[in-house]
Amino acid sequence: MATIASLKKGQRGIIKEFSLEHVPLKLLEMGCLPGNEVKLVQIAPFRDPLYLDINGSHLAIRLETARQIEIDLI
Amino acid sequence: MAKHINVALLGNPNTGKTSVFNRLTGLNQKVGNYPGITVEKKQGTAKFGRASTVHILDLPGTYSLNASSLDENVVIELLLNKKDKDFPDVAVVVADVENLKRNLLLFTQIKDLGIPTILSINMADRMKSKAISLDVEQMEKRLNTKIALISSRKNLGFDYLKKLIENYNQLPTKPCLNASNIAPEYFDRLRKAFPNQDLYKLWLVITQDVNFGKLDRNELQGIATFQTESASNLKRMQQRETIVRYQYINEILKETLTIDTANAKDLRSRLDRVLTHKVWGYVIFFSILLLIFQAIFDWSEYPMDFIDRSFAALGEWTKTNLPPGQFTNLISEGIIPGIGGIVIFIPQIAFLFLFISILEESGYMSRVVFLMDKLMRKFGLSGKSVVPLVAGTACAIPAIMATRNIENWKERLITILVTPFTTCSARLPVYLIIIALVIPDIRILGIFSLQALTLMFMYILGFGAAIFSAWVLDKILRIKTKSFFMVEMPNYKLPLPKNVLITMVEKTKAFVIGAGKIILAISIILWVLASYGPGDFNKAESIVAEEYASQNLTPEELDHHVDSFKLEHSYIGKIGHAIEPAVRPLGYDWKIGIALVTSFAAREVFVGTLATIYSVGSDDEQTIKSRMAAEVNPILGGPLFNFASGISLLLFYAFAMQCMSTLAIVKRETNTWKWPMWQLVVMTAIAYVLSLAAYQFLK
């Protein structure tokens, strides 16, 4: 199962399902919605957090949240 | 026709809202707090066109009207309360042309509240270079609003925006989309239960508590009897609402916006490659910090010397030119040295705010958060704790307020508790004067001044203390919270000189006036306590004359002895001697003891206190520094401020919790006296023990 955490730098994916328990509404409001594209832009030193481009929003989230968001790799 | 218009500026963080605010108001602004809470409230007034007075409120940046932080809650509370005196006649939503999609989410929500809303699209000057084209007319039609394309950088489009604001009553107020179709059955029930209420407003009131917790507000009548949904169902509905809004926005943008991505040259990614690099990122960050400290110490020396000498001369001038008497003494010995003790630090504080404001404006701070998160987490902090810790070098109060965007309560609490360890600008006066007295003015390798390095070390010490105590707290605090972390990485921007300047002036002014009031009051009290005394104080002349009768002193020397006798027997002398046993083991005399005690109100009072105490009765035109250098240790002889007592003082000020305002803010932010009291006791105990150890070891 691929999640945002399994992306490599520069790689992209399409967001699939995730549970609202683990992914807060705030992230949805930033554009992290099923069907939208996500790209891994940068990885911080020590491999965490991840710097993403989600649907045009540039944001960083921690690995533990990234693991909760399933994607289809493209 | 003169009229008064209330405008609220709203928008996502990093859309340049503050620049728009600065463009509209210039220096006509006021920074205060929202009643009852410490979220910053920026207001300004401006005159538009036909003499309308426009009152502009700059609200905290928000991503949506679903509150998950105190900042966002302020916005919602205001928009839901029509009776608030700041309730906007017109809302201006500031959007960034490159992030329109996300910015419009907030716009559609505000629009649904039925408030006249203008969409002002900022950074329009970038459209060409980013190959963005926008069908404004079509967009206005679809969103049912008026749009102003502006650029605060190039000062474009503001005349039109002002005109729109002036004619706000011609704006359509119809909502954009009908939120109720996300759960028709539920909304029907709502409509029936509260027939007189605006439906979307009801929905916001209900869901706000789901995300943020119960708040004081005028309860809607009958809300208790309404059959509510479970929190998780409400959350699911909010998710659906977000999706519906995005669908709507996507549809509109498909018709009105084209971006030729192939043409977009990306400065962001190139800069990020260096600035967030696992080696260079840290090297750059620490070089920037070093540069800031070098600047504070080296560059501000000249204006400071000038201010120092001017105040000494002013005190002298008042003494010789005003009619002699107690009132003249109060001015020349109490007020002028006291105020001088704070005014002198304006250059350094201004430099500090200058740099911090540039780092934040440019978008670099977010990269630091990204770079430091994993590292900080090892100590129980968050990457976002870096901002409070760096901002704490200016002042702990805004720094503690800046912890609000830390989502995890435990990380936030630890940040609040350890931030006062970082070296705030109020410590600078104390550090600088003591370093100048006890650390030799030499250069290492011909470049680095030893004094500057000592100052740098004091900053590192403060930061180290903060990190170490965070690590300890992480181990001992038992708080379970769900961790969530998100930080937006804004595009890099060249900071606008006007914004930086306004921040620098406003913050420095607030600091000087805020601290100035306390210092003025304390200076006056101290002067009174030092100028009057019981018993022997009033017979000083005869007692001293008798004591030194055999020594054939000149009248000046005799006067000097009378003055020091008076000071020792004044009220302040009595108090000082009473506390001396507690401070003597640290290497201080009773005068420093007094300064230490008054410093618990605010640290910068230290220099002012000593300035007042040393000024009373002395009439030489001398700076406070030379007076301190001349002080003699009453027991051991030799200079009072020597290496051992100097280091001990530095350590005491580095660790002790000496700031009433910070304690008040911590109480407010944590909602209990437990944490501020904890800080006061623990930090002061650490300070005492370390100072004691240092002095006893070094003396």
Side-chain angles (χ1 to χ4, degrees), chain B residues 427-449:
Chain B
R427 285 183 177 100
L428 258 182
V430 185
Y431 286 176
L432 291 170
I433 212 153
I434 293 171
I435 288 175
L437 283 173
V438 305
I439 305 290
D441 185 11
I442 49 172
R443 285 190 184 256
I444 292 176
L445 304 172
I447 322 167
F448 299 111
S449 121

mmCIF file with all atom_site columns, all heavy atoms in Angstrom, chain B residues 427-449:
data_model
loop_
_atom_site.group_PDB
_atom_site.id
_atom_site.type_symbol
_atom_site.label_atom_id
_atom_site.label_alt_id
_atom_site.label_comp_id
_atom_site.label_asym_id
_atom_site.label_entity_id
_atom_site.label_seq_id
_atom_site.pdbx_PDB_ins_code
_atom_site.Cartn_x
_atom_site.Cartn_y
_atom_site.Cartn_z
_atom_site.occupancy
_atom_site.B_iso_or_equiv
_atom_site.pdbx_formal_charge
_atom_site.auth_seq_id
_atom_site.auth_comp_id
_atom_site.auth_asym_id
_atom_site.auth_atom_id
_atom_site.pdbx_PDB_model_num
ATOM 1   N N   . ARG B 1 427 ? 17.412 41.685 28.631 1.00 0.00 ? 427 ARG B N   1
ATOM 2   C CA  . ARG B 1 427 ? 18.649 41.257 29.284 1.00 0.00 ? 427 ARG B CA  1
ATOM 3   C C   . ARG B 1 427 ? 19.847 41.990 28.695 1.00 0.00 ? 427 ARG B C   1
ATOM 4   O O   . ARG B 1 427 ? 20.875 42.119 29.338 1.00 0.00 ? 427 ARG B O   1
ATOM 5   C CB  . ARG B 1 427 ? 18.848 39.759 29.109 1.00 0.00 ? 427 ARG B CB  1
ATOM 6   C CG  . ARG B 1 427 ? 17.943 38.903 29.996 1.00 0.00 ? 427 ARG B CG  1
ATOM 7   C CD  . ARG B 1 427 ? 18.291 37.447 29.768 1.00 0.00 ? 427 ARG B CD  1
ATOM 8   N NE  . ARG B 1 427 ? 17.551 36.525 30.588 1.00 0.00 ? 427 ARG B NE  1
ATOM 9   C CZ  . ARG B 1 427 ? 16.486 35.845 30.158 1.00 0.00 ? 427 ARG B CZ  1
ATOM 10  N NH1 . ARG B 1 427 ? 16.040 36.034 28.947 1.00 0.00 ? 427 ARG B NH1 1
ATOM 11  N NH2 . ARG B 1 427 ? 15.878 34.986 30.951 1.00 0.00 ? 427 ARG B NH2 1
ATOM 12  N N   . LEU B 1 428 ? 19.687 42.434 27.448 1.00 0.00 ? 428 LEU B N   1
ATOM 13  C CA  . LEU B 1 428 ? 20.807 43.086 26.760 1.00 0.00 ? 428 LEU B CA  1
ATOM 14  C C   . LEU B 1 428 ? 21.433 44.220 27.572 1.00 0.00 ? 428 LEU B C   1
ATOM 15  O O   . LEU B 1 428 ? 22.650 44.250 27.726 1.00 0.00 ? 428 LEU B O   1
ATOM 16  C CB  . LEU B 1 428 ? 20.326 43.627 25.412 1.00 0.00 ? 428 LEU B CB  1
ATOM 17  C CG  . LEU B 1 428 ? 20.682 42.819 24.180 1.00 0.00 ? 428 LEU B CG  1
ATOM 18  C CD1 . LEU B 1 428 ? 20.168 43.532 22.948 1.00 0.00 ? 428 LEU B CD1 1
ATOM 19  C CD2 . LEU B 1 428 ? 22.182 42.654 24.081 1.00 0.00 ? 428 LEU B CD2 1
ATOM 20  N N   . PRO B 1 429 ? 20.618 45.169 28.081 1.00 0.00 ? 429 PRO B N   1
ATOM 21  C CA  . PRO B 1 429 ? 21.207 46.259 28.849 1.00 0.00 ? 429 PRO B CA  1
ATOM 22  C C   . PRO B 1 429 ? 22.125 45.752 29.955 1.00 0.00 ? 429 PRO B C   1
ATOM 23  O O   . PRO B 1 429 ? 23.231 46.252 30.139 1.00 0.00 ? 429 PRO B O   1
ATOM 24  C CB  . PRO B 1 429 ? 19.999 46.972 29.447 1.00 0.00 ? 429 PRO B CB  1
ATOM 25  C CG  . PRO B 1 429 ? 18.863 46.631 28.574 1.00 0.00 ? 429 PRO B CG  1
ATOM 26  C CD  . PRO B 1 429 ? 19.171 45.296 27.968 1.00 0.00 ? 429 PRO B CD  1
ATOM 27  N N   . VAL B 1 430 ? 21.633 44.738 30.672 1.00 0.00 ? 430 VAL B N   1
ATOM 28  C CA  . VAL B 1 430 ? 22.402 44.207 31.796 1.00 0.00 ? 430 VAL B CA  1
ATOM 29  C C   . VAL B 1 430 ? 23.680 43.552 31.287 1.00 0.00 ? 430 VAL B C   1
ATOM 30  O O   . VAL B 1 430 ? 24.780 43.821 31.790 1.00 0.00 ? 430 VAL B O   1
ATOM 31  C CB  . VAL B 1 430 ? 21.550 43.184 32.575 1.00 0.00 ? 430 VAL B CB  1
ATOM 32  C CG1 . VAL B 1 430 ? 22.286 42.723 33.813 1.00 0.00 ? 430 VAL B CG1 1
ATOM 33  C CG2 . VAL B 1 430 ? 20.193 43.774 32.925 1.00 0.00 ? 430 VAL B CG2 1
ATOM 34  N N   . TYR B 1 431 ? 23.519 42.682 30.281 1.00 0.00 ? 431 TYR B N   1
ATOM 35  C CA  . TYR B 1 431 ? 24.685 41.979 29.744 1.00 0.00 ? 431 TYR B CA  1
ATOM 36  C C   . TYR B 1 431 ? 25.729 42.963 29.233 1.00 0.00 ? 431 TYR B C   1
ATOM 37  O O   . TYR B 1 431 ? 26.916 42.841 29.520 1.00 0.00 ? 431 TYR B O   1
ATOM 38  C CB  . TYR B 1 431 ? 24.262 41.078 28.568 1.00 0.00 ? 431 TYR B CB  1
ATOM 39  C CG  . TYR B 1 431 ? 23.522 39.824 28.959 1.00 0.00 ? 431 TYR B CG  1
ATOM 40  C CD1 . TYR B 1 431 ? 23.018 38.961 27.994 1.00 0.00 ? 431 TYR B CD1 1
ATOM 41  C CD2 . TYR B 1 431 ? 23.325 39.494 30.297 1.00 0.00 ? 431 TYR B CD2 1
ATOM 42  C CE1 . TYR B 1 431 ? 22.332 37.808 28.329 1.00 0.00 ? 431 TYR B CE1 1
ATOM 43  C CE2 . TYR B 1 431 ? 22.638 38.343 30.636 1.00 0.00 ? 431 TYR B CE2 1
ATOM 44  C CZ  . TYR B 1 431 ? 22.142 37.504 29.654 1.00 0.00 ? 431 TYR B CZ  1
ATOM 45  O OH  . TYR B 1 431 ? 21.465 36.366 29.982 1.00 0.00 ? 431 TYR B OH  1
ATOM 46  N N   . LEU B 1 432 ? 25.264 43.927 28.453 1.00 0.00 ? 432 LEU B N   1
ATOM 47  C CA  . LEU B 1 432 ? 26.205 44.828 27.788 1.00 0.00 ? 432 LEU B CA  1
ATOM 48  C C   . LEU B 1 432 ? 27.017 45.609 28.788 1.00 0.00 ? 432 LEU B C   1
ATOM 49  O O   . LEU B 1 432 ? 28.235 45.722 28.679 1.00 0.00 ? 432 LEU B O   1
ATOM 50  C CB  . LEU B 1 432 ? 25.443 45.791 26.873 1.00 0.00 ? 432 LEU B CB  1
ATOM 51  C CG  . LEU B 1 432 ? 24.826 45.105 25.669 1.00 0.00 ? 432 LEU B CG  1
ATOM 52  C CD1 . LEU B 1 432 ? 23.894 46.039 24.939 1.00 0.00 ? 432 LEU B CD1 1
ATOM 53  C CD2 . LEU B 1 432 ? 25.925 44.615 24.742 1.00 0.00 ? 432 LEU B CD2 1
ATOM 54  N N   . ILE B 1 433 ? 26.341 46.112 29.799 1.00 0.00 ? 433 ILE B N   1
ATOM 55  C CA  . ILE B 1 433 ? 27.045 46.968 30.741 1.00 0.00 ? 433 ILE B CA  1
ATOM 56  C C   . ILE B 1 433 ? 28.020 46.132 31.572 1.00 0.00 ? 433 ILE B C   1
ATOM 57  O O   . ILE B 1 433 ? 29.146 46.554 31.847 1.00 0.00 ? 433 ILE B O   1
ATOM 58  C CB  . ILE B 1 433 ? 26.019 47.755 31.593 1.00 0.00 ? 433 ILE B CB  1
ATOM 59  C CG1 . ILE B 1 433 ? 26.613 49.098 31.955 1.00 0.00 ? 433 ILE B CG1 1
ATOM 60  C CG2 . ILE B 1 433 ? 25.571 46.995 32.801 1.00 0.00 ? 433 ILE B CG2 1
ATOM 61  C CD1 . ILE B 1 433 ? 25.564 50.155 32.192 1.00 0.00 ? 433 ILE B CD1 1
ATOM 62  N N   . ILE B 1 434 ? 27.607 44.926 31.934 1.00 0.00 ? 434 ILE B N   1
ATOM 63  C CA  . ILE B 1 434 ? 28.497 44.101 32.762 1.00 0.00 ? 434 ILE B CA  1
ATOM 64  C C   . ILE B 1 434 ? 29.649 43.546 31.921 1.00 0.00 ? 434 ILE B C   1
ATOM 65  O O   . ILE B 1 434 ? 30.804 43.530 32.371 1.00 0.00 ? 434 ILE B O   1
ATOM 66  C CB  . ILE B 1 434 ? 27.696 42.980 33.444 1.00 0.00 ? 434 ILE B CB  1
ATOM 67  C CG1 . ILE B 1 434 ? 26.749 43.613 34.460 1.00 0.00 ? 434 ILE B CG1 1
ATOM 68  C CG2 . ILE B 1 434 ? 28.630 42.009 34.160 1.00 0.00 ? 434 ILE B CG2 1
ATOM 69  C CD1 . ILE B 1 434 ? 25.755 42.675 35.045 1.00 0.00 ? 434 ILE B CD1 1
ATOM 70  N N   . ILE B 1 435 ? 29.341 43.143 30.692 1.00 0.00 ? 435 ILE B N   1
ATOM 71  C CA  . ILE B 1 435 ? 30.422 42.658 29.825 1.00 0.00 ? 435 ILE B CA  1
ATOM 72  C C   . ILE B 1 435 ? 31.445 43.768 29.603 1.00 0.00 ? 435 ILE B C   1
ATOM 73  O O   . ILE B 1 435 ? 32.653 43.556 29.703 1.00 0.00 ? 435 ILE B O   1
ATOM 74  C CB  . ILE B 1 435 ? 29.845 42.158 28.476 1.00 0.00 ? 435 ILE B CB  1
ATOM 75  C CG1 . ILE B 1 435 ? 29.108 40.838 28.688 1.00 0.00 ? 435 ILE B CG1 1
ATOM 76  C CG2 . ILE B 1 435 ? 30.959 41.985 27.447 1.00 0.00 ? 435 ILE B CG2 1
ATOM 77  C CD1 . ILE B 1 435 ? 28.404 40.312 27.454 1.00 0.00 ? 435 ILE B CD1 1
ATOM 78  N N   . ALA B 1 436 ? 30.949 44.981 29.362 1.00 0.00 ? 436 ALA B N   1
ATOM 79  C CA  . ALA B 1 436 ? 31.872 46.098 29.139 1.00 0.00 ? 436 ALA B CA  1
ATOM 80  C C   . ALA B 1 436 ? 32.743 46.342 30.363 1.00 0.00 ? 436 ALA B C   1
ATOM 81  O O   . ALA B 1 436 ? 33.893 46.759 30.261 1.00 0.00 ? 436 ALA B O   1
ATOM 82  C CB  . ALA B 1 436 ? 31.087 47.350 28.789 1.00 0.00 ? 436 ALA B CB  1
ATOM 83  N N   . LEU B 1 437 ? 32.198 46.056 31.553 1.00 0.00 ? 437 LEU B N   1
ATOM 84  C CA  . LEU B 1 437 ? 32.954 46.306 32.783 1.00 0.00 ? 437 LEU B CA  1
ATOM 85  C C   . LEU B 1 437 ? 33.955 45.204 33.097 1.00 0.00 ? 437 LEU B C   1
ATOM 86  O O   . LEU B 1 437 ? 35.050 45.478 33.585 1.00 0.00 ? 437 LEU B O   1
ATOM 87  C CB  . LEU B 1 437 ? 31.992 46.448 33.970 1.00 0.00 ? 437 LEU B CB  1
ATOM 88  C CG  . LEU B 1 437 ? 31.249 47.768 34.098 1.00 0.00 ? 437 LEU B CG  1
ATOM 89  C CD1 . LEU B 1 437 ? 30.223 47.675 35.209 1.00 0.00 ? 437 LEU B CD1 1
ATOM 90  C CD2 . LEU B 1 437 ? 32.227 48.904 34.368 1.00 0.00 ? 437 LEU B CD2 1
ATOM 91  N N   . VAL B 1 438 ? 33.593 43.945 32.862 1.00 0.00 ? 438 VAL B N   1
ATOM 92  C CA  . VAL B 1 438 ? 34.446 42.865 33.379 1.00 0.00 ? 438 VAL B CA  1
ATOM 93  C C   . VAL B 1 438 ? 35.179 42.070 32.299 1.00 0.00 ? 438 VAL B C   1
ATOM 94  O O   . VAL B 1 438 ? 36.083 41.305 32.621 1.00 0.00 ? 438 VAL B O   1
ATOM 95  C CB  . VAL B 1 438 ? 33.668 41.888 34.296 1.00 0.00 ? 438 VAL B CB  1
ATOM 96  C CG1 . VAL B 1 438 ? 32.989 42.644 35.427 1.00 0.00 ? 438 VAL B CG1 1
ATOM 97  C CG2 . VAL B 1 438 ? 32.658 41.064 33.521 1.00 0.00 ? 438 VAL B CG2 1
ATOM 98  N N   . ILE B 1 439 ? 34.778 42.199 31.030 1.00 0.00 ? 439 ILE B N   1
ATOM 99  C CA  . ILE B 1 439 ? 35.469 41.450 29.983 1.00 0.00 ? 439 ILE B CA  1
ATOM 100 C C   . ILE B 1 439 ? 36.382 42.414 29.220 1.00 0.00 ? 439 ILE B C   1
ATOM 101 O O   . ILE B 1 439 ? 35.931 43.454 28.760 1.00 0.00 ? 439 ILE B O   1
ATOM 102 C CB  . ILE B 1 439 ? 34.470 40.810 28.986 1.00 0.00 ? 439 ILE B CB  1
ATOM 103 C CG1 . ILE B 1 439 ? 33.446 39.939 29.718 1.00 0.00 ? 439 ILE B CG1 1
ATOM 104 C CG2 . ILE B 1 439 ? 35.197 40.017 27.906 1.00 0.00 ? 439 ILE B CG2 1
ATOM 105 C CD1 . ILE B 1 439 ? 33.970 38.659 30.303 1.00 0.00 ? 439 ILE B CD1 1
ATOM 106 N N   . PRO B 1 440 ? 37.672 42.088 29.114 1.00 0.00 ? 440 PRO B N   1
ATOM 107 C CA  . PRO B 1 440 ? 38.594 43.002 28.452 1.00 0.00 ? 440 PRO B CA  1
ATOM 108 C C   . PRO B 1 440 ? 38.238 43.229 26.989 1.00 0.00 ? 440 PRO B C   1
ATOM 109 O O   . PRO B 1 440 ? 37.742 42.328 26.321 1.00 0.00 ? 440 PRO B O   1
ATOM 110 C CB  . PRO B 1 440 ? 39.958 42.318 28.583 1.00 0.00 ? 440 PRO B CB  1
ATOM 111 C CG  . PRO B 1 440 ? 39.682 40.931 29.020 1.00 0.00 ? 440 PRO B CG  1
ATOM 112 C CD  . PRO B 1 440 ? 38.332 40.890 29.641 1.00 0.00 ? 440 PRO B CD  1
ATOM 113 N N   . ASP B 1 441 ? 38.477 44.452 26.522 1.00 0.00 ? 441 ASP B N   1
ATOM 114 C CA  . ASP B 1 441 ? 38.134 44.807 25.149 1.00 0.00 ? 441 ASP B CA  1
ATOM 115 C C   . ASP B 1 441 ? 39.280 44.434 24.217 1.00 0.00 ? 441 ASP B C   1
ATOM 116 O O   . ASP B 1 441 ? 40.054 45.275 23.783 1.00 0.00 ? 441 ASP B O   1
ATOM 117 C CB  . ASP B 1 441 ? 37.840 46.311 25.076 1.00 0.00 ? 441 ASP B CB  1
ATOM 118 C CG  . ASP B 1 441 ? 37.357 46.731 23.704 1.00 0.00 ? 441 ASP B CG  1
ATOM 119 O OD1 . ASP B 1 441 ? 37.052 45.841 22.880 1.00 0.00 ? 441 ASP B OD1 1
ATOM 120 O OD2 . ASP B 1 441 ? 37.290 47.942 23.453 1.00 0.00 ? 441 ASP B OD2 1
ATOM 121 N N   . ILE B 1 442 ? 39.397 43.155 23.916 1.00 0.00 ? 442 ILE B N   1
ATOM 122 C CA  . ILE B 1 442 ? 40.454 42.728 22.988 1.00 0.00 ? 442 ILE B CA  1
ATOM 123 C C   . ILE B 1 442 ? 39.832 41.943 21.846 1.00 0.00 ? 442 ILE B C   1
ATOM 124 O O   . ILE B 1 442 ? 38.686 41.503 21.940 1.00 0.00 ? 442 ILE B O   1
ATOM 125 C CB  . ILE B 1 442 ? 41.524 41.848 23.688 1.00 0.00 ? 442 ILE B CB  1
ATOM 126 C CG1 . ILE B 1 442 ? 40.850 40.752 24.505 1.00 0.00 ? 442 ILE B CG1 1
ATOM 127 C CG2 . ILE B 1 442 ? 42.445 42.692 24.535 1.00 0.00 ? 442 ILE B CG2 1
ATOM 128 C CD1 . ILE B 1 442 ? 41.817 39.742 25.070 1.00 0.00 ? 442 ILE B CD1 1
ATOM 129 N N   . ARG B 1 443 ? 40.609 41.764 20.780 1.00 0.00 ? 443 ARG B N   1
ATOM 130 C CA  . ARG B 1 443 ? 40.100 41.001 19.650 1.00 0.00 ? 443 ARG B CA  1
ATOM 131 C C   . ARG B 1 443 ? 40.859 39.694 19.505 1.00 0.00 ? 443 ARG B C   1
ATOM 132 O O   . ARG B 1 443 ? 42.072 39.649 19.696 1.00 0.00 ? 443 ARG B O   1
ATOM 133 C CB  . ARG B 1 443 ? 40.203 41.824 18.363 1.00 0.00 ? 443 ARG B CB  1
ATOM 134 C CG  . ARG B 1 443 ? 39.128 42.875 18.361 1.00 0.00 ? 443 ARG B CG  1
ATOM 135 C CD  . ARG B 1 443 ? 38.961 43.589 17.056 1.00 0.00 ? 443 ARG B CD  1
ATOM 136 N NE  . ARG B 1 443 ? 37.947 44.622 17.269 1.00 0.00 ? 443 ARG B NE  1
ATOM 137 C CZ  . ARG B 1 443 ? 36.694 44.523 16.843 1.00 0.00 ? 443 ARG B CZ  1
ATOM 138 N NH1 . ARG B 1 443 ? 36.310 43.483 16.155 1.00 0.00 ? 443 ARG B NH1 1
ATOM 139 N NH2 . ARG B 1 443 ? 35.831 45.472 17.087 1.00 0.00 ? 443 ARG B NH2 1
ATOM 140 N N   . ILE B 1 444 ? 40.104 38.659 19.175 1.00 0.00 ? 444 ILE B N   1
ATOM 141 C CA  . ILE B 1 444 ? 40.718 37.352 18.978 1.00 0.00 ? 444 ILE B CA  1
ATOM 142 C C   . ILE B 1 444 ? 40.936 37.153 17.488 1.00 0.00 ? 444 ILE B C   1
ATOM 143 O O   . ILE B 1 444 ? 40.016 37.399 16.693 1.00 0.00 ? 444 ILE B O   1
ATOM 144 C CB  . ILE B 1 444 ? 39.825 36.243 19.564 1.00 0.00 ? 444 ILE B CB  1
ATOM 145 C CG1 . ILE B 1 444 ? 39.806 36.395 21.089 1.00 0.00 ? 444 ILE B CG1 1
ATOM 146 C CG2 . ILE B 1 444 ? 40.347 34.872 19.162 1.00 0.00 ? 444 ILE B CG2 1
ATOM 147 C CD1 . ILE B 1 444 ? 38.891 35.433 21.770 1.00 0.00 ? 444 ILE B CD1 1
ATOM 148 N N   . LEU B 1 445 ? 42.153 36.763 17.124 1.00 0.00 ? 445 LEU B N   1
ATOM 149 C CA  . LEU B 1 445 ? 42.539 36.600 15.716 1.00 0.00 ? 445 LEU B CA  1
ATOM 150 C C   . LEU B 1 445 ? 42.357 37.900 14.944 1.00 0.00 ? 445 LEU B C   1
ATOM 151 O O   . LEU B 1 445 ? 42.208 37.921 13.738 1.00 0.00 ? 445 LEU B O   1
ATOM 152 C CB  . LEU B 1 445 ? 41.695 35.505 15.033 1.00 0.00 ? 445 LEU B CB  1
ATOM 153 C CG  . LEU B 1 445 ? 41.709 34.128 15.670 1.00 0.00 ? 445 LEU B CG  1
ATOM 154 C CD1 . LEU B 1 445 ? 40.695 33.223 14.997 1.00 0.00 ? 445 LEU B CD1 1
ATOM 155 C CD2 . LEU B 1 445 ? 43.104 33.509 15.591 1.00 0.00 ? 445 LEU B CD2 1
ATOM 156 N N   . GLY B 1 446 ? 42.325 39.000 15.678 1.00 0.00 ? 446 GLY B N   1
ATOM 157 C CA  . GLY B 1 446 ? 42.201 40.296 15.034 1.00 0.00 ? 446 GLY B CA  1
ATOM 158 C C   . GLY B 1 446 ? 40.832 40.611 14.480 1.00 0.00 ? 446 GLY B C   1
ATOM 159 O O   . GLY B 1 446 ? 40.609 41.689 13.945 1.00 0.00 ? 446 GLY B O   1
ATOM 160 N N   . ILE B 1 447 ? 39.871 39.676 14.595 1.00 0.00 ? 447 ILE B N   1
ATOM 161 C CA  . ILE B 1 447 ? 38.541 39.949 14.022 1.00 0.00 ? 447 ILE B CA  1
ATOM 162 C C   . ILE B 1 447 ? 37.466 40.007 15.111 1.00 0.00 ? 447 ILE B C   1
ATOM 163 O O   . ILE B 1 447 ? 36.813 41.012 15.306 1.00 0.00 ? 447 ILE B O   1
ATOM 164 C CB  . ILE B 1 447 ? 38.093 38.859 13.012 1.00 0.00 ? 447 ILE B CB  1
ATOM 165 C CG1 . ILE B 1 447 ? 39.275 38.386 12.172 1.00 0.00 ? 447 ILE B CG1 1
ATOM 166 C CG2 . ILE B 1 447 ? 36.962 39.375 12.123 1.00 0.00 ? 447 ILE B CG2 1
ATOM 167 C CD1 . ILE B 1 447 ? 38.980 37.125 11.394 1.00 0.00 ? 447 ILE B CD1 1
ATOM 168 N N   . PHE B 1 448 ? 37.312 38.871 15.814 1.00 0.00 ? 448 PHE B N   1
ATOM 169 C CA  . PHE B 1 448 ? 36.196 38.768 16.737 1.00 0.00 ? 448 PHE B CA  1
ATOM 170 C C   . PHE B 1 448 ? 36.504 39.455 18.057 1.00 0.00 ? 448 PHE B C   1
ATOM 171 O O   . PHE B 1 448 ? 37.508 39.161 18.700 1.00 0.00 ? 448 PHE B O   1
ATOM 172 C CB  . PHE B 1 448 ? 35.865 37.299 17.001 1.00 0.00 ? 448 PHE B CB  1
ATOM 173 C CG  . PHE B 1 448 ? 35.474 36.572 15.754 1.00 0.00 ? 448 PHE B CG  1
ATOM 174 C CD1 . PHE B 1 448 ? 36.297 35.608 15.217 1.00 0.00 ? 448 PHE B CD1 1
ATOM 175 C CD2 . PHE B 1 448 ? 34.281 36.875 15.110 1.00 0.00 ? 448 PHE B CD2 1
ATOM 176 C CE1 . PHE B 1 448 ? 35.935 34.942 14.057 1.00 0.00 ? 448 PHE B CE1 1
ATOM 177 C CE2 . PHE B 1 448 ? 33.920 36.209 13.948 1.00 0.00 ? 448 PHE B CE2 1
ATOM 178 C CZ  . PHE B 1 448 ? 34.745 35.242 13.428 1.00 0.00 ? 448 PHE B CZ  1
ATOM 179 N N   . SER B 1 449 ? 35.618 40.357 18.433 1.00 0.00 ? 449 SER B N   1
ATOM 180 C CA  . SER B 1 449 ? 35.829 41.011 19.711 1.00 0.00 ? 449 SER B CA  1
ATOM 181 C C   . SER B 1 449 ? 35.463 40.033 20.827 1.00 0.00 ? 449 SER B C   1
ATOM 182 O O   . SER B 1 449 ? 34.444 39.342 20.751 1.00 0.00 ? 449 SER B O   1
ATOM 183 C CB  . SER B 1 449 ? 34.990 42.282 19.769 1.00 0.00 ? 449 SER B CB  1
ATOM 184 O OG  . SER B 1 449 ? 34.092 42.240 20.835 1.00 0.00 ? 449 SER B OG  1
#
